[in-house]
Structure formats: structure tokens, C-alpha cells
Amino acid sequence: RSLNAVSPLSTLARGYSITYDESAKVVCNSDDVKPGARIISRLSNGSIASIVESISDNKLSDSKSSANN
């Protein structure tokens, strides 16, 4: 039961996705892709092919610090 909780498929079923670049490498940061790049987002019930239009660098730490000011 605890293995199901940490399963990547269980994570996808909770509404998350895993995004890959054209070479099937997982995209972890906005720096990993450029505008015009083709990406694939894996969902619990399929996948979505997209082309990156723009990139913003909104780091979580930046939003936390600005929310506290």
C-alpha cells in the first residue's frame, strides 16, 4: 500500500504531469527548454504534445519572499 502512494502513476492520478523534451529527457527547470522546443507532458490518462511559446523564471523561493514583504 505504501508503494502505491509513492508510485509515479499514483502521482499522475492526483493531477500532476511529467514533461519530457524531444530527446525523452525529463524537464526539471525552465532552463531545460527554449522557445520553439517541442515537449510532451505525460498525464494519468494520456499525453499532450506542446510547443514552448515563452519561458518565465518564477522560482518558488522568489514568490515566497515577495509574499512576505
Side-chain angles (χ1 to χ4, degrees):
R1 191 171 148 160
S2 62
L3 285 178
N4 268 346
V6 295
S7 162
L9 296 177
S10 293
T11 302
L12 294 175
R14 290 193 307 268
Y16 290 90
S17 66
I18 303 171
T19 300
Y20 301 90
D21 65 13
E22 287 183 291
S23 63
K25 180 181 171 194
V26 174
V27 176
C28 295
N29 299 295
S30 59
D31 296 341
D32 294 344
V33 294
K34 303 289 182 227
R38 295 178 185 272
I39 56 174
I40 303 290
S41 296
R42 167 90 188 268
L43 310 169
S44 65
N45 66 342
S47 62
I48 299 170
S50 306
I51 298 175
V52 176
E53 288 187 1
S54 64
I55 298 169
S56 63
D57 188 14
N58 296 330
K59 295 180 182 172
L60 291 177
S61 60
D62 291 344
S63 62
K64 287 181 183 177
S65 63
S66 63
N68 292 330
N69 293 332

